[in-house]
Amino acid sequence: MPGLASRLKRNSILSLLSSGTRLVANSLMFIGIARFYGPEVFGSFSAAYILASIFIVVGDFGFDNLLTIEVSRSPERVAESVREYFSIKLLFCLFGLAAIWSLPLFEQLSPVTETLLFLLSFSVVFTSLTNFFFALFKGIEQFQHEFRISSIVNVALLIALVVIGLLRLSFFYVGLAFVASRGLALLLAVLKARSTIELSPFHFTLEGWRKRWRLILIFGFSLVFGNLFFQLITPMLVFLKGDYDAGIYESVFKLVAVICLISDIGVNAILPTLSRVRIENVDRWVTLNRLFNRTLFLVSLPIALAFLVYPRQIIDLLYGVDKFGEAVSIMRVAAAVILVRFASETYGLMLTTSDRQDVRMKITIAGTVLTVLSCWYFIPKYGSLGAALAALSVNVCVGLGYMIAARPYFWRWIREKHHLLPASLAVILGATLHLVGDRFWILTLCASLITYGVLTYYLGYSKYERELLLGIGRQS
């Protein structure tokens, strides 16, 4: 049996590659829409996409994390776990689809946004059910299946986007290509699941709900509100201000969402291992969480630095500062959001893997309520910048909630020299970049990132931690 370090390394690489293909395809899709169709169309597409994403979360309702944890803890019950949860999952998917179709009855949307919302609604069922099978693959630690499926469908999506761009077709075809790629992913995931484990013929049953309703509700509400407190801001911006302001805000926070995939990759890779190790060896569980927490923090520092020092240059490179000049100030706020999210992610994960998911649920519910209140206060006054300020305030409060819930570890880890020295290095580099100015900014930024990476490798980790990260040395 491969050692713990080797499994984590392999899982992380495969999860990175899986998310990387999605990252490239989605980034090119959104950047292309922003550059070729302008802020208003970009705002409409982003609003429809995020509303669909919210209802995908409703369809998921925590079943994915729950399935991953239960399969990793009890691999001998894998077929039984899939059978218990799939019918309930399907029911929630259909509920999410019905809910998104009824949304225009309660809130007036622009004709373009409403049409895109209907088109993207089919991805609710496709993506949610695909996520269920991906959770199965993670639970049995066969991450290669998700990687292969993601590679196929996202390469197909990229090819479709290139064709749409060359033919100068309407942006509605972009949405159609996206939905078709998600349908293909579901088909491939079902075929692979059937060939990987022995699944009995499907029959609808709610047996799993009757046996585990409390656990399902805790994981479900945690997932729903954990996504709502971040994703709800764009729809509220559309409702309160319009598609243009949403486009300006999303030009930055779509990048933030892409960057947050880094932490998602880490969570996906380490979740099954942490769930199992928590039962086997609590000290090892603490060690892995400390290392994961520091890694996320160290990764976030240079990204936040680039957002803070070179916002105008980045906006101009990606979208054109003539159309998206208002996004420059938003990017500086986003730098703080990235730092907070990465610094607090591990503490939320610790609640999940230590059977304290109910605490995380309460924190995310409070965060969602605060999101609504912050949006109502900031957006009418400051528009798209107000939405960014709302995002920052909510992420700070939720992050503090996680840290307070895991405060014995937080106070111990935050004072370690491997945390403080790289942070000091980032401050020095930031001040240097600011003094140098924006001449040859790409070369200057790249040189700074390389310097930071090399020094942080030694300042941020002990010798044993470096060996563990590389998957060599001491094995478990």
Side-chain angles (χ1 to χ4, degrees):
M1 183 177 180
L4 175 61
S6 297
R7 289 201 306 272
L8 283 176
K9 181 180 178 182
R10 180 175 182 272
N11 292 347
S12 298
I13 291 173
L14 288 172
S15 186
L16 172 64
L17 293 173
S18 300
S19 298
T21 57
R22 288 193 293 269
L23 169 65
V24 171
N26 288 349
S27 298
L28 291 177
M29 179 177 70
F30 282 105
I31 291 173
I33 293 173
R35 289 191 72 93
F36 292 110
Y37 300 106
E40 190 163 354
V41 170
F42 181 62
S44 297
F45 196 96
S46 296
Y49 179 86
I50 288 178
L51 284 169
S53 299
I54 289 173
F55 287 100
I56 288 172
V57 173
V58 173
D60 287 344
F61 205 71
F63 294 111
D64 304 333
N65 285 341
L66 189 55
L67 180 65
T68 297
I69 290 173
E70 295 217 354
V71 168
S72 64
R73 289 178 175 175
S74 306
E76 71 280 358
R77 295 185 63 256
V78 57
E80 183 180 347
S81 297
V82 171
R83 185 170 58 252
E84 287 178 354
Y85 289 125
F86 186 76
S87 294
I88 315 171
K89 169 88 170 185
L90 181 60
L91 191 63
F92 274 82
C93 288
L94 296 176
F95 172 77
L97 183 63
I100 198 171
W101 282 351
S102 65
L103 188 61
L105 300 176
F106 300 97
E107 187 65 43
Q108 184 174 1
L109 302 171
S110 69
V112 173
T113 302
E114 188 171 332
T115 303
L116 284 169
L117 182 62
F118 177 78
L119 178 60
L120 296 182
S121 67
F122 294 99
S123 68
V124 171
V125 175
F126 295 155
T127 302
S128 187
L129 292 179
T130 302
N131 290 342
F132 181 82
F133 292 106
F134 284 173
L136 166 64
F137 301 148
K138 292 169 189 172
I140 59 179
E141 296 197 55
Q142 295 187 20
F143 285 66
Q144 68 273 17
H145 302 318
E146 180 181 356
F147 163 61
R148 289 167 183 164
I149 293 171
S150 296
S151 299
I152 292 171
V153 300
N154 286 294
V155 167
L157 176 59
L158 284 174
I159 293 172
L161 292 175
V162 170
V163 172
I164 291 170
L166 291 175
L167 297 179
R168 299 184 179 275
L169 299 177
S170 166
F171 58 88
F172 289 107
Y173 287 95
V174 176
L176 185 62
F178 177 81
V179 172
S181 70
R182 271 43 195 172
L184 176 61
L186 175 58
L187 174 62
L188 295 176
V190 171
L191 294 175
K192 179 52 67 175
R194 289 179 63 86
S195 65
T196 302
I197 64 172
E198 186 177 344
L199 294 176
S200 58
F202 170 73
H203 65 278
F204 187 83
T205 175
L206 294 180
E207 178 185 358
W209 174 268
R210 290 194 296 268
K211 291 166 56 178
R212 307 171 189 272
W213 65 270
R214 185 177 182 275
L215 195 60
I216 290 173
L217 288 178
I218 289 174
F219 271 80
F221 285 125
S222 296
L223 181 70
V224 170
F225 288 104
N227 282 269
L228 273 180
F229 84 82
F230 190 64
Q231 292 186 328
L232 194 59
I233 294 175
T234 299
M236 291 199 67
L237 184 57
V238 170
F239 299 152
L240 295 173
K241 280 292 185 178
D243 292 345
Y244 177 82
D245 285 270
I248 297 297
Y249 170 83
E250 275 295 306
S251 66
V252 173
F253 274 80
K254 193 62 68 183
L255 297 177
V256 174
V258 167
I259 291 166
C260 286
L261 283 176
I262 297 172
S263 64
D264 292 342
I265 291 167
V267 170
N268 288 337
I270 204 171
L271 176 62
T273 301
L274 286 178
S275 301
R276 183 180 62 255
V277 170
R278 180 64 172 76
I279 297 175
E280 299 171 352
N281 189 321
V282 175
D283 291 337
R284 187 181 300 164
W285 176 79
V286 173
T287 298
L288 289 174
N289 276 296
R290 184 178 72 247
L291 184 59
F292 185 57
N293 171 257
R294 193 185 311 143
T295 300
L296 286 183
F297 176 68
L298 298 181
V299 168
S300 70
L301 285 173
I303 299 173
L305 186 67
F307 273 43
L308 189 64
V309 179
Y310 296 121
R312 178 173 293 277
Q313 291 83 354
I314 294 173
I315 292 295
D316 192 39
L317 178 66
L318 294 177
Y319 307 113
V321 76
D322 53 330
K323 294 181 180 178
F324 290 86
E326 297 171 58
V328 171
S329 57
I330 296 174
M331 183 164 277
R332 292 194 172 98
V333 177
V337 173
I338 292 170
L339 275 177
V340 171
R341 285 185 70 88
F342 276 62
S344 61
E345 181 64 44
T346 304
Y347 301 106
L349 182 62
M350 293 176 75
L351 298 177
T352 299
T353 56
S354 61
D355 296 324
R356 299 180 65 197
Q357 187 71 6
D358 57 329
V359 177
R360 186 170 189 174
M361 177 187 69
K362 294 172 184 176
I363 293 172
T364 55
I365 290 175
T368 303
V369 173
L370 182 60
T371 297
V372 175
L373 297 177
S374 298
C375 287
W376 278 109
Y377 177 77
F378 285 114
I379 290 176
K381 287 187 174 183
Y382 305 109
S384 54
L385 178 60
L389 295 173
L392 177 59
S393 62
V394 172
N395 276 277
V396 167
C397 292
V398 170
L400 285 175
Y402 291 160
M403 293 172 184
I404 292 172
R407 55 189 174 276
Y409 304 105
F410 169 72
W411 292 120
R412 189 189 318 159
W413 297 347
I414 197 68
R415 293 178 292 178
E416 293 178 346
K417 66 177 182 179
H418 295 302
H419 238 83
L420 297 176
L421 290 177
S424 302
L425 173 63
V427 172
I428 294 172
L429 286 176
T432 303
L433 291 176
H434 180 71
L435 291 175
V436 170
D438 59 359
R439 191 176 183 183
F440 308 115
W441 71 274
I442 294 181
L443 293 177
T444 305
L445 179 61
C446 290
S448 299
L449 294 179
I450 293 172
T451 302
Y452 172 86
V454 172
L455 293 179
T456 297
Y457 178 72
Y458 294 99
L459 296 176
Y461 301 101
S462 67
K463 181 180 178 181
Y464 168 71
E465 289 170 340
R466 290 195 294 270
E467 292 175 345
L468 187 59
L469 283 172
L470 293 174
I472 60 175
R474 195 179 308 176
Q475 297 288 311
S476 303

